[in-house]
Amino acid sequence: MFQNLSEKLESAFKGLKGQSRITELNIASTVKEIRRALIDADVNYKIAKEFTDKIKDKAVGEKVINAISPGQLMTKIVKDELTDLMGGQEAVFNAKGNPAVILIAGLQGSGKTTFSGKLANFLKSKKGLSPLLVAADIYRPAAMEQLRVLGEQIGVDVHIEPDNKDAVSIAQNAVKEARSKNKNVVIIDTAGRLAIDEQMMTEVANVRAAVNPQEILFVVDSMTGQDAVNTAKAFNDRLDFTGVVLTKLDGDTRGGAALSIKYTVNKPIKFVSSGEKMDTLDVFYPERMAQRILG
Ligand code: GDP
């Protein structure tokens, strides 16, 4: 993951080797290489340009302390700016409530159902909560079955109504069930389509209005690059979600989605998912991710 970007950034910094100080002239090609590396990673031109303009301003304005070389200084500046681009601080995830309601939305195949299982597992095993999973994908019986199997695997109850074709009433019934069974967090896996579709958006918006979730998480496949960012924008315009979940970070992702989403929709990435197993979910820490990118 991010291997290409890491290699290209490393190579960009190499150009500063042997320089005793930073000047506008001697970092020009480094800055250009960083910009190209970002664009190759599927970050859009405007974001890449703004990013490298900031790096240039910071680097030229900074005094190189004796102990640190221009290459090291640039690495630090880029790391700080990458951290900032991805949201700066770790975002707050709110699973408090009676019960807390968490709505999961995204396109079909993005990894929603898998993530719903992982989140339930995470909240149960790491936070000591008692989750209830809800299968609200009324179009695909296979999705309900998939969630049932995941629930069984992690020891979490799953609310399923195979004959109910109304996602809103399924969600409302699930919240009632959670109250009666002392479950303190309800995770609703909604239907997705292969492309953004008015009916799907209306349905998720209706579920949202009916159950008033604390968190609305938008799940997106990190391998889809710029498309991920465009999809995020469409979902956010309609749902005003509270956070992003990036999936399939274990795949050969170039990194564009991770780097551009916060900038584009101004919503934080809250979790990253990197595998099909139930324990491959991590809270997203921008600084750690920046460090990983820089190797
Ligand atoms: P949904 O249609 O959005 O509910 O997506 P699913 O949860 O069914 O996931 C679609 C496919 O992606 C399935 O084959 C999952 O096993 C796979 N998948 C989901 N998350 C990840 C991940 O983080 N890494 C990898 N490698 N595969 C994933």
Side-chain angles (χ1 to χ4, degrees):
M1 160 191 112
F2 299 143
Q3 199 179 342
N4 241 323
L5 177 60
S6 300
E7 282 167 10
K8 284 187 179 142
L9 289 177
E10 197 186 330
S11 139
F13 298 135
K14 274 204 183 117
L16 287 170
K17 238 183 169 169
Q19 303 284 354
S20 57
R21 61 191 198 95
I22 283 181
T23 65
E24 202 156 337
L25 196 66
N26 71 13
I27 61 162
S29 71
T30 304
V31 167
K32 221 164 145 185
E33 274 187 64
I34 294 171
R35 187 178 306 167
R36 204 174 307 134
L38 291 172
I39 291 168
D40 287 349
D42 220 2
V43 172
N44 94 24
Y45 179 79
K46 182 171 168 271
I47 301 177
K49 175 153 190 338
E50 219 170 277
F51 183 88
T52 44
D53 284 350
K54 260 198 223 159
I55 302 259
K56 194 161 64 184
D57 287 350
K58 260 185 144 175
V60 173
E62 196 110 11
K63 284 208 171 53
V64 181
I65 315 155
N66 283 339
I68 180 171
S69 71
Q72 286 168 323
L73 183 65
M74 276 299 269
T75 310
K76 180 173 178 337
I77 292 172
V78 171
K79 185 189 151 193
D80 289 349
E81 287 303 317
L82 282 176
T83 304
D84 237 39
L85 187 62
M86 290 186 286
Q89 299 284 327
E90 171 200 349
V92 173
F93 175 70
N94 178 9
K96 289 197 188 83
N98 191 25
V101 177
I102 298 163
L103 190 64
I104 313 296
L107 294 180
Q108 186 177 319
S110 58
K112 277 187 313 299
T113 305
T114 308
F115 168 72
S116 300
K118 287 184 184 192
L119 182 65
N121 188 46
F122 171 86
L123 294 175
K124 181 184 169 201
S125 60
K126 302 258 164 72
K127 303 284 175 195
L129 296 176
S130 177
L132 177 68
L133 279 162
V134 185
D137 185 344
I138 51 175
Y139 308 101
R140 291 194 311 136
M144 294 190 182
E145 178 57 17
Q146 186 187 348
L147 200 63
R148 192 192 61 74
V149 170
L150 289 177
E152 212 169 80
Q153 200 181 318
I154 57 177
V156 167
D157 288 352
V158 183
H159 180 95
I160 297 181
E161 299 181 47
D163 300 323
N164 188 345
K165 292 289 168 214
D166 176 13
V168 169
S169 87
I170 294 176
Q172 287 170 322
N173 292 341
V175 172
K176 276 186 214 142
E177 181 185 332
R179 285 208 182 99
S180 73
K181 290 189 175 165
N182 278 330
K183 307 279 182 193
N184 41 27
V185 55
V186 176
I187 300 168
I188 305 174
D189 180 22
T190 62
R193 300 290 166 91
L194 291 173
I196 294 157
D197 156 298
E198 188 48 37
Q199 192 190 351
M200 164 184 74
M201 284 295 190
T202 305
E203 185 180 283
V204 188
N206 288 344
V207 173
R208 180 212 160 124
V211 294
N212 196 20
Q214 269 87 337
E215 291 276 356
I216 302 163
L217 297 178
F218 166 67
V219 178
V220 68
D221 179 343
S222 63
M223 315 255 277
T224 58
Q226 293 275 319
D227 275 349
V229 177
N230 295 333
T231 314
K233 207 168 166 314
F235 271 80
N236 194 45
D237 286 349
R238 198 60 194 271
L239 285 178
D240 191 18
F241 53 69
T242 59
V244 178
V245 178
L246 281 182
T247 63
K248 310 188 193 179
L249 277 199
D250 52 317
D252 189 20
T253 172
R254 287 193 282 166
L259 293 169
S260 318
I261 272 189
K262 171 69 172 52
Y263 179 100
T264 310
V265 293
N266 199 24
K267 295 289 166 68
I269 301 171
K270 294 199 172 176
F271 293 98
V272 286
S273 162
S274 50
E276 296 181 62
K277 294 212 181 96
M278 284 296 102
D279 60 355
T280 51
L281 182 71
D282 290 297
V283 170
F284 182 72
Y285 298 104
E287 191 185 347
R288 281 188 211 167
M289 189 57 81
Q291 187 63 55
R292 233 161 114 175
I293 291 170
L294 290 174

